[in-house]
Amino acid sequence: MLENLKVGILGGGQLGAMIMRQAIDLGLRVSIMDKDAHAPCSHYTADFFCGDPASFEAVMEFGKDLDVITIEKEAVNINALRQLEKQGVKIFPAPDTIEVIQDKFTQKQFLLSHHIPVVPGEAIQGKNDLYRYENKLPVCLKKRRDGYDGYGVMVLKTKEDMAAAFDAPCVVEELVDIKHEISVIVARNEHGAVACYDPVMMVFSEEKFILDYQIAPAQIGEEMSEKATALARKIADALKLVGILAVEMFVTKDNRLLVNELAPRPHNSGHHTIEASITSQYEQLLRAVLGLPLGAPGLRFPSLMMNILESATLSTDKPGKLKRLLDIPGAHLHWYGKEGSRPGRKIGHVTVTDNTIENVIAKAESIRKILN
Amino acid sequence: MLENLKVGILGGGQLGAMIMRQAIDLGLRVSIMDKDAHAPCSHYTADFFCGDPASFEAVMEFGKDLDVITIEKEAVNINALRQLEKQGVKIFPAPDTIEVIQDKFTQKQFLLSHHIPVVPGEAIQGKNDLYRYENKLPVCLKKRRDGYDGYGVMVLKTKEDMAAAFDAPCVVEELVDIKHEISVIVARNEHGAVACYDPVMMVFSEEKFILDYQIAPAQIGEEMSEKATALARKIADALKLVGILAVEMFVTKDNRLLVNELAPRPHNSGHHTIEASITSQYEQLLRAVLGLPLGAPGLRFPSLMMNILESATLSTDKPGKLKRLLDIPGAHLHWYGKEGSRPGRKIGHVTVTDNTIENVIAKAESIRKILN
């Protein structure tokens, strides 16, 4: 039975903690490894290991007695996962899937080879190659590996920006004319069954990155929604995915749909599924990797997700602010309990649910005022 | 902030595990003590202690460095909790509240002293006192202390039943003519704020105790519902409760409302609040004991909760049965992952949600067929 399975998760941040809350629902025993001994998950399992998921030795040691391993971050050691797979440990998503996605350029090439429209981009070895783009500014520069949450991404507008650019293998992307940023979470199991969530839409405030919203369902029209979910399904099949995948996409001003980035794990853009969907993305991940039937992904009511970032403003009476937030009916706080957070770091999120998108946005505006 | 609070829970069964899943949402650090080293919670916190919550020494040792302690079972050492309270640890519910409820007779006397209608009953010292009821059979015999989940309760119909009765301090209760068994979960915080859930109703199958249902909202009419919640609020105030309380009541055939039993902790009859209510009873407990605002208790849609008990029938292809159950949209499995379960033991529950009570019941009937 479920309690006899030894499940492992590489990475022990808030995504891992949200997997844990669903693992409790299935009575699972879960081992988690993170390089930070104080990572959120360190408190929520009896089997926490401090080790770097990018280290061959650490992953081999962690995984040797497990039945199935999944991930909550992409920066994991693929060679170790391949070795463990040979030893009989199930690795979901498959090492090949993670490897293709780990590198933003091979990811793009893979998608193109399957005729999936992507944001156009080229690979460069480092800063010295940037001169080629002097006359093509602005461009978006992304580290090929290990970027996340806005880290490893920068927009180059001027020659001065180029001087301060990352000096690492990068992808240089066209800046496309974006009408909407959307995301689709899709799950697929070993038997090829696929379950796809409705698209969510990002809504940015004037000061980008501070308390931005994600709205579900995305207000992009039925046709575009169907196009987006069809694309996500196609990608999940092309990857022979076992697990869940976030497909971030742009709807351009001329109504094209371009894939921006993939993440083969639970994703920020699926947080709202905990309260708003029949099956949360976290439960769906566990169902997919354990060979259980996929759950219904349907949205039960409109919802909105807002990241909470560490800031000097928030730190002024943080307890008082959180109490006022908790006083709003239908505001679901997820506080990550991180230690020693630097400004700009994600330290929680709130999901707001209500009967209409208008009510949800009105509540979110109250919350924004409280937290600012 | 929340992550700096050291929270303790006495008892580490499935109720504790369901508290843990909400503790993750608040980023809390939780220590849990249970006398069973393999209790469900032993897997879900880095701070699990094997010790008996009924032992003075064990509770003192467990609690000495904690900020706040709550319970998931009543059989805890009150003297130790009083001592810890003197040392500055917050104990919610208060030791006085737990003590009154621990003993089914003092519980009844307390309720009567506050003019709350209860099932009539008398205290006896042991089996030898039963002769007084020879001509009053049938009666219900309940151990004054440590009964739970149907253990410690028996109905005496004949003289032969009396011979096989518990020989312990008991309450002998009249068998009342029951139309409905209902339960109300109520929460109260230190500031006297009260939040009350809608009543749920138990629906028993022919073979009692096997896969019985609990339906929310209870189908008892608005007037009776209001009477029941008013009674629950009155009891919470009378107890000066800080925490949550389950009030089990009978609606008699002549439409009286009688309190059957109290439980000052999360309760089986509140499981459905995880999926069906705006705030689950587990989150509500944490809000109440941490001095946070209480959450909205409103029911979002009809739901039904069904216990899963260990049985020989279920054990025939348990994995196959659970997979079929997981394939029903809106069937939310909670599998407790208990080791070495004996027949009759609660090993999980399913909460079913849908738009109407009729749909919910239809799904539940499918589940009953699958699991039997």
Side-chain angles (χ1 to χ4, degrees):
Chain A
M1 273 314 304
L2 295 164
E3 62 271 21
N4 300 322
L5 281 173
K6 283 169 284 176
V7 180
I9 304 174
L10 291 175
Q14 65 265 21
L15 296 170
M18 287 181 261
I19 301 172
M20 271 312 297
R21 94 195 263 302
Q22 297 295 149
I24 293 175
D25 293 352
L26 295 177
L28 297 169
R29 318 290 189 241
V30 184
S31 302
I32 300 184
M33 183 165 77
D34 196 281
K35 64 183 172 189
D36 176 3
H38 302 285
C41 287
S42 66
H43 307 287
Y44 303 131
T45 172
D47 300 299
F48 179 81
F49 297 86
C50 186
D52 189 347
S55 145
F56 181 86
E57 290 72 23
V59 173
M60 288 303 295
E61 179 59 26
F62 173 72
K64 65 183 180 345
D65 296 319
L66 298 175
D67 296 311
V68 55
I69 295 178
T70 191
I71 60 171
E72 63 103 70
K73 58 187 287 183
E74 292 92 288
V76 295
N77 192 287
I78 298 295
N79 290 334
L81 292 179
R82 288 214 173 94
Q83 190 66 36
L84 288 168
E85 200 171 45
K86 277 184 202 143
Q87 294 175 16
V89 183
K90 290 190 172 187
I91 312 292
F92 296 133
D96 286 356
T97 306
I98 304 171
E99 189 176 42
V100 159
I101 296 176
Q102 265 182 346
D103 179 315
K104 292 193 166 69
F105 189 64
T106 59
Q107 185 189 120
K108 213 182 271 292
Q109 287 177 301
F110 175 87
L111 292 169
L112 285 172
S113 75
H114 284 85
H115 313 289
I116 312 274
V118 299
V119 176
E122 293 169 356
I124 61 166
Q125 284 305 314
K127 211 161 154 173
N128 288 340
D129 294 343
L130 273 176
Y131 69 93
R132 288 192 257 146
Y133 300 91
E134 266 185 26
N135 300 319
K136 297 180 185 170
L137 298 182
V139 294
C140 181
L141 188 70
K142 290 178 176 174
K143 284 190 186 169
R144 285 180 65 159
R145 302 177 71 93
D146 301 338
Y148 70 100
D149 264 10
Y151 298 101
V153 179
M154 63 201 307
V155 173
L156 307 181
K157 294 179 185 166
T158 63
K159 272 184 142 179
E160 288 68 44
D161 290 346
M162 287 172 66
F166 306 127
D167 194 14
C170 282
V171 182
V172 184
E173 289 183 348
E174 251 178 49
L175 274 190
V176 293
D177 267 347
I178 300 169
K179 185 156 76 179
H180 299 302
E181 278 193 45
I182 64 171
S183 175
V184 174
I185 308 280
V186 59
R188 187 175 174 281
N189 69 14
E190 275 183 282
H191 313 296
V194 173
C196 196
Y197 289 82
D198 290 325
V200 306
M201 181 170 70
M202 321 313 164
V203 179
F204 297 104
S205 56
E206 304 263 310
E207 295 172 274
K208 207 172 167 177
F209 298 126
I210 309 286
L211 298 178
D212 294 325
Y213 296 166
Q214 280 168 6
I215 288 179
Q219 309 294 293
I220 54 171
E222 203 160 318
E223 199 183 330
M224 190 58 83
S225 279
E226 279 170 17
K227 223 170 128 182
T229 53
L231 209 55
R233 284 169 183 274
K234 188 174 169 185
I235 297 169
D237 282 333
L239 285 166
K240 296 187 185 66
L241 175 74
V242 179
I244 64 171
L245 178 78
V247 184
E248 294 187 274
M249 302 180 229
F250 295 140
V251 179
T252 64
K253 290 196 171 146
D254 55 356
N255 280 321
R256 287 175 304 143
L257 192 61
L258 302 177
V259 173
N260 177 29
E261 274 185 41
L262 306 179
R265 51 163 174 85
H267 191 259
N268 204 50
S269 63
H271 284 340
H272 69 286
T273 59
I274 293 177
E275 288 85 9
S277 305
I278 298 173
T279 309
S280 79
Q281 67 167 343
Y282 304 98
E283 180 179 346
Q284 198 71 295
L285 169 67
L286 290 172
R287 284 173 177 249
V289 306
L290 298 178
L292 300 170
L294 296 179
L299 195 67
R300 301 193 292 186
F301 23 65
S303 75
L304 182 153
M305 193 285 295
M306 198 190 285
N307 288 312
I308 305 177
L309 308 187
E310 184 63 271
S311 76
T313 330
L314 177 61
S315 293
T316 320
D317 190 25
K318 205 184 270 179
K321 287 175 177 173
L322 290 189
K323 278 189 187 178
R324 286 167 59 206
L325 188 163
L326 285 166
D327 220 6
I328 297 177
H332 302 279
L333 175 65
H334 293 258
W335 187 252
Y336 304 157
K338 288 180 181 174
E339 290 171 22
S341 295
R342 57 178 183 280
R345 196 177 185 206
K346 280 185 199 163
I347 53 173
H349 77 262
V350 198
T351 299
V352 181
T353 56
D354 207 323
N355 296 324
T356 67
I357 279 281
E358 291 69 29
N359 288 352
V360 155
I361 291 174
K363 278 187 190 171
E365 286 302 333
S366 313
I367 293 171
R368 198 201 284 274
K369 280 188 198 115
I370 289 169
L371 294 181
N372 270 341
Chain B
M1 272 313 305
L2 296 165
E3 61 271 21
N4 299 323
L5 282 172
K6 283 169 284 175
V7 180
I9 304 174
L10 291 175
Q14 66 264 23
L15 296 169
M18 287 182 261
I19 301 172
M20 270 314 295
R21 96 195 260 304
Q22 298 296 149
I24 293 175
D25 292 353
L26 295 176
L28 296 170
R29 318 290 189 241
V30 183
S31 302
I32 300 184
M33 184 165 77
D34 196 282
K35 63 183 172 189
D36 176 2
H38 302 284
C41 286
S42 65
H43 307 287
Y44 303 131
T45 173
D47 299 298
F48 179 82
F49 297 86
C50 185
D52 188 347
S55 145
F56 180 86
E57 291 73 23
V59 173
M60 289 303 295
E61 179 59 26
F62 174 72
K64 64 182 179 349
D65 296 319
L66 298 174
D67 295 311
V68 53
I69 295 177
T70 191
I71 60 170
E72 63 103 70
K73 58 187 287 183
E74 292 92 288
V76 295
N77 192 287
I78 297 297
N79 289 335
L81 292 178
R82 287 215 174 93
Q83 190 65 36
L84 288 167
E85 200 171 46
K86 277 185 203 143
Q87 294 174 17
V89 183
K90 291 189 173 188
I91 312 291
F92 296 131
D96 286 355
T97 305
I98 304 171
E99 190 177 42
V100 159
I101 295 176
Q102 265 181 346
D103 179 316
K104 291 191 166 69
F105 189 64
T106 59
Q107 186 189 118
K108 212 181 272 294
Q109 287 177 302
F110 175 87
L111 292 169
L112 285 172
S113 75
H114 284 84
H115 313 289
I116 311 274
V118 298
V119 176
E122 293 169 356
I124 61 166
Q125 284 306 313
K127 210 161 155 172
N128 289 340
D129 294 342
L130 273 176
Y131 68 92
R132 287 192 258 144
Y133 300 91
E134 265 184 26
N135 301 319
K136 296 180 186 170
L137 299 182
V139 295
C140 180
L141 188 70
K142 290 179 178 174
K143 284 190 186 169
R144 285 178 64 159
R145 303 177 72 93
D146 300 338
Y148 71 99
D149 264 10
Y151 297 102
V153 179
M154 63 201 308
V155 173
L156 307 181
K157 294 178 185 167
T158 63
K159 273 184 140 176
E160 288 67 43
D161 290 346
M162 287 172 64
F166 306 127
D167 193 14
C170 282
V171 182
V172 183
E173 288 184 349
E174 250 178 51
L175 274 190
V176 292
D177 267 346
I178 300 169
K179 184 156 76 178
H180 298 301
E181 278 194 46
I182 64 171
S183 174
V184 173
I185 307 280
V186 60
R188 187 176 174 281
N189 70 13
E190 275 183 284
H191 313 296
V194 173
C196 196
Y197 289 83
D198 290 325
V200 305
M201 181 170 71
M202 320 313 163
V203 179
F204 297 105
S205 54
E206 305 262 309
E207 296 173 274
K208 207 173 167 177
F209 299 127
I210 310 286
L211 297 178
D212 294 324
Y213 296 166
Q214 280 169 5
I215 287 179
Q219 310 293 293
I220 53 171
E222 204 159 317
E223 198 183 330
M224 190 57 84
S225 279
E226 278 170 18
K227 223 170 128 181
T229 53
L231 209 54
R233 283 169 182 274
K234 188 174 169 185
I235 297 170
D237 283 332
L239 285 166
K240 296 186 184 67
L241 175 75
V242 178
I244 65 172
L245 178 78
V247 184
E248 293 186 275
M249 301 179 231
F250 295 140
V251 180
T252 63
K253 290 194 172 147
D254 54 356
N255 280 321
R256 287 174 303 144
L257 192 60
L258 302 178
V259 173
N260 177 29
E261 276 185 40
L262 306 179
R265 50 162 174 85
H267 191 258
N268 203 52
S269 63
H271 284 340
H272 70 287
T273 59
I274 293 177
E275 288 86 7
S277 304
I278 298 172
T279 309
S280 79
Q281 67 167 343
Y282 305 97
E283 180 179 345
Q284 198 71 293
L285 169 67
L286 291 172
R287 284 173 177 248
V289 306
L290 298 178
L292 300 170
L294 296 180
L299 195 67
R300 302 191 292 184
F301 22 65
S303 74
L304 182 153
M305 192 286 295
M306 197 190 285
N307 288 312
I308 304 178
L309 308 187
E310 184 63 271
S311 76
T313 331
L314 177 61
S315 293
T316 321
D317 190 25
K318 206 185 270 178
K321 288 175 177 172
L322 291 189
K323 278 189 185 177
R324 286 166 62 205
L325 188 163
L326 285 166
D327 220 5
I328 298 176
H332 302 279
L333 176 64
H334 293 259
W335 187 253
Y336 304 157
K338 288 181 181 173
E339 290 172 22
S341 294
R342 58 177 183 280
R345 196 176 184 206
K346 280 186 199 163
I347 53 173
H349 77 261
V350 199
T351 299
V352 181
T353 55
D354 207 322
N355 295 324
T356 66
I357 279 280
E358 290 70 28
N359 288 351
V360 155
I361 290 175
K363 277 186 190 171
E365 286 301 331
S366 311
I367 293 171
R368 197 201 285 274
K369 279 187 197 115
I370 289 169
L371 294 181
N372 271 341

